[in-house]
Amino acid sequence: MPKKIAIVEDEPELASLLEYNLAGQGFGTRVFPGTQNTIASLADYRPDLIILDVMLPDADGFHLCREVRRHSALGSVPIIFLTARSDEVDRVLGLEIGGDDYVTKPFSPRELVARVKAHLRRGDPVEEVAANGASCRGPFRLDRAAHRVYQDSRELPLTSTEFRLLEFFLTHPGRAYSREQLLQEVWGEQHFVTPRTVDVHVRRLRERIEQKPDTPVYLTTVRGFGYRFEIPDQD
Ligand code: CA
């Protein structure tokens, strides 16, 4: 699923330029002209990152940034400010009130895209632990206490074995595991399981988490060995 970038910008030409460059890199985009109710529209869209113009018609970008940070569903979304003002005070203020980065107009679209990618990658390789003990990796959130896994905030309907298998993969990403290792780790000492059992459950799990189970992006086959789970790079 492509990462979604919200572009909060009232100048149509600049918004189009940003959309063109981001879409060309495979990102989903939506432009918000920055008028009233932007915060509600953003909450509907659920962006992975927000590009936020400081100078907006109804409110300034700083005000909107504060609203985003206070919002329960948007609070941790990276924000890159776009500012025409090269004023040091504005830059510092933008970062102090919760912006993650800023780009001063005029900017090179290439540089902006590079910043977007860098901020999206930040959280990916390491496991982030949320305040309630749930851990997040890419679009997945694992709540061990509640025995639930969410993908893009949607709860996955998993059997107990699928849950244990996905839990193992989420906590051991990037490494290839053989079927025998997975049996040992996930099924433990059960005598009625065979390596074929692993294949069956991997196939079912792919149907839950992959957009196209036949060409998986998260749970891939390591030919002649077993399986690997990883959050793909956006590049
Ligand atoms: Ca503007």
Side-chain angles (χ1 to χ4, degrees):
M1 205 177 284
K3 297 268 187 183
K4 297 189 287 185
I5 314 297
I7 301 166
V8 186
E9 169 60 73
D10 60 304
E11 293 159 64
E13 278 181 27
L14 187 51
S16 302
L17 177 72
L18 288 165
E19 272 206 296
Y20 175 79
N21 283 280
L22 290 165
Q25 296 291 316
F27 293 110
T29 58
R30 190 180 295 175
V31 173
F32 301 81
T35 48
Q36 285 158 5
N37 299 322
T38 301
I39 193 78
S41 313
L42 284 172
D44 277 350
Y45 182 53
R46 295 286 181 119
D48 295 289
L49 184 143
I50 300 171
I51 295 173
L52 181 52
D53 188 21
V54 171
M55 302 286 277
L56 294 168
D58 288 354
D60 72 31
F62 295 138
H63 177 77
L64 194 57
C65 177
R66 288 196 183 91
E67 283 192 308
V68 167
R69 285 291 170 257
R70 278 198 300 263
H71 195 279
S72 56
L74 297 170
S76 59
V77 175
I79 294 176
I80 299 179
F81 275 113
L82 275 186
T83 174
R85 317 177 215 176
S86 52
D87 196 315
E88 184 76 29
V89 174
D90 272 358
R91 295 186 202 174
V92 173
L93 179 62
L95 300 177
E96 277 180 355
I97 64 169
D100 295 278
D101 206 344
Y102 59 83
V103 171
T104 309
K105 296 181 201 173
F107 56 87
S108 112
R110 241 178 107 167
E111 189 205 336
L112 185 86
V113 168
R115 301 270 192 104
V116 166
K117 287 184 178 174
H119 282 281
L120 287 174
R121 256 199 311 269
R122 245 182 0 175
D124 282 356
V126 284
E127 191 178 16
E128 288 178 6
V129 178
N132 65 355
S135 50
C136 304
R137 189 177 298 282
F140 299 96
R141 185 160 61 83
L142 168 67
D143 188 341
R144 278 201 187 84
H147 231 250
R148 286 161 196 230
V149 183
Y150 300 83
Q151 183 173 8
D152 295 317
S153 305
R154 188 175 49 86
E155 188 186 350
L156 295 170
L158 301 173
T159 65
S160 169
T161 303
E162 288 165 356
F163 173 85
R164 287 204 311 276
L165 186 58
L166 184 53
E167 176 188 32
F168 178 78
F169 281 129
L170 284 170
T171 51
H172 299 81
R175 236 192 89 185
Y177 290 91
S178 69
R179 290 170 180 81
E180 289 73 19
Q181 286 172 321
L182 290 168
L183 277 178
Q184 191 78 37
E185 294 286 348
V186 178
W187 279 263
E189 298 297 316
Q190 294 181 26
H191 297 291
F192 53 88
V193 290
T194 69
R196 171 86 186 115
T197 309
V198 176
D199 298 336
V200 170
H201 282 87
V202 162
R203 201 182 64 228
R204 289 192 192 145
L205 194 52
R206 279 174 176 162
E207 282 163 11
R208 308 280 194 216
I209 66 170
E210 302 283 356
Q211 214 166 14
K212 297 176 187 161
D214 291 331
T215 50
V217 296
Y218 300 115
L219 184 42
T220 51
T221 301
V222 182
R223 224 160 273 291
F225 185 72
Y227 298 100
R228 176 197 284 122
F229 181 89
E230 62 192 338
I231 305 296
D233 205 294
Q234 289 302 309
D235 284 335

